[in-house]
Amino acid sequence: MNLYRPEKRTFFIVGIYFKTTHGREILYGSSKGRNQTEAYKNYFLAYVHGKGGGYVDSLRFTWYKYTFNNASITE
């Protein structure tokens, strides 16, 4: 139960799964729950930042667009 929003449904992140274009896969937490995939053409995931106490309070995903300065796109 969420004491800050008792009249609304609250979803919690129980795990997060990363799979890279270079074949690395890693799961943090549990694989139980709903899956969501995000990928953006010509962008790469630069970093992930989060915070939490007993559970994850926030997650921030930062995507960078490939440019000629940082391009190494392999398809």
Side-chain angles (χ1 to χ4, degrees):
M1 180 170 180
N2 185 342
L3 298 176
Y4 299 103
R5 296 177 56 183
E7 73 287 350
K8 304 246 180 178
R9 256 178 116 168
T10 302
F11 295 94
F12 293 96
I13 295 173
V14 295
I16 189 163
Y17 172 77
F18 292 97
K19 182 176 181 181
T20 71
T21 54
H22 296 286
R24 285 191 67 201
E25 298 181 33
I26 190 163
L27 170 67
Y28 296 99
S30 171
S31 63
K32 297 180 173 133
R34 191 175 84 201
N35 290 334
Q36 177 75 32
T37 300
E38 290 197 9
Y40 302 101
K41 187 175 171 98
N42 297 324
Y43 283 80
F44 65 94
L45 181 60
Y47 63 90
V48 178
H49 178 81
K51 72 175 196 148
Y55 56 89
V56 175
D57 294 312
S58 66
L59 281 174
R60 178 176 58 196
F61 296 89
T62 302
W63 300 86
Y64 288 157
K65 185 170 186 156
Y66 282 104
T67 66
F68 288 114
N69 294 335
N70 65 12
S72 62
I73 300 174
T74 57
E75 295 191 29

